[in-house]
Amino acid sequence: SIRAEDPLMKKSCLVFFNELLGQWVVDANGNKSESPTSNPPDYVVKGFVRFVCDVLIPGMLQVFLGGDSAFHIEDANHYRCLAEFSGILETLKSRLPEVYYQEVLVSKLSVQAGLSQSTIDRFRSAGTRKDFEACLKTLIQSGRRNE
């Protein structure tokens, strides 16, 4: 999804990744999806979560913040990518241990993306897809990495 030029392809990849997260990653109560196809070995789940956190999220932030692509938040298809990416952040926050989310994921992203403390605080307090959409939209519309 990071390298796909077509925003519809990006969106489809993001939907796919979020569906896998929802099916494979144990929630805060220790529950997994009831789907019979959602029982991969733990090492596969851990590797997938590591890929999402270490590759997908920083890569998509790079796409949103300029990088090598032309992301236009006003374009409906591009905005749909942002909305689907927000869903991934919501799923991770609701399913990963709080310490991992707050200290590893948010802290790592703040360094990689050069986020200001106010932006970091908004990401830390966000809890829903809409909250994450608002954080990302504000970050993108600021037009720079450090607000």
Side-chain angles (χ1 to χ4, degrees):
S1 67
I2 298 166
R3 290 188 172 93
E5 295 294 324
D6 179 28
L8 295 177
M9 179 60 75
K10 273 190 198 311
K11 179 198 73 106
S12 297
C13 292
L14 293 169
V15 168
F16 174 76
F17 291 140
N18 197 23
E19 287 293 320
L20 283 182
L21 284 171
Q23 291 177 20
W24 288 359
V25 180
V26 176
D27 69 14
N29 298 320
N31 300 320
K32 281 189 178 180
S33 169
E34 296 297 322
S35 173
T37 61
S38 65
N39 298 316
D42 283 344
Y43 71 89
V44 172
V45 175
K46 288 177 183 176
F48 179 65
V49 170
R50 180 167 289 144
F51 163 77
V52 169
C53 294
D54 293 350
V55 177
L56 181 68
I57 292 175
M60 287 306 298
L61 282 176
Q62 189 69 14
V63 167
F64 295 144
L65 295 174
D68 296 332
S69 68
F71 180 81
H72 302 288
I73 198 166
E74 304 83 20
D75 181 280
N77 289 325
H78 286 209
Y79 193 85
R80 187 69 178 152
C81 291
L82 182 133
E84 294 302 335
F85 181 70
S86 298
I88 288 173
L89 295 176
E90 176 187 40
T91 300
L92 287 173
K93 184 159 187 184
S94 69
R95 293 183 176 260
L96 292 180
E98 185 71 15
V99 167
Y100 185 86
Y101 176 81
Q102 295 292 345
E103 299 306 321
V104 177
L105 188 59
V106 174
S107 296
K108 184 191 309 185
L109 290 178
S110 67
V111 171
Q112 289 176 340
L115 303 179
S116 69
Q117 188 59 48
S118 63
T119 301
I120 293 167
D121 292 342
R122 284 194 297 266
F123 275 102
R124 281 201 166 121
S125 64
T128 67
R129 180 184 203 123
K130 290 292 181 189
D131 294 342
F132 285 110
E133 271 184 51
C135 290
L136 290 166
K137 187 176 177 182
T138 299
L139 180 62
I140 293 164
Q141 288 176 333
S142 74
R144 56 186 193 271
R145 293 183 183 221
N146 292 317
E147 300 164 286

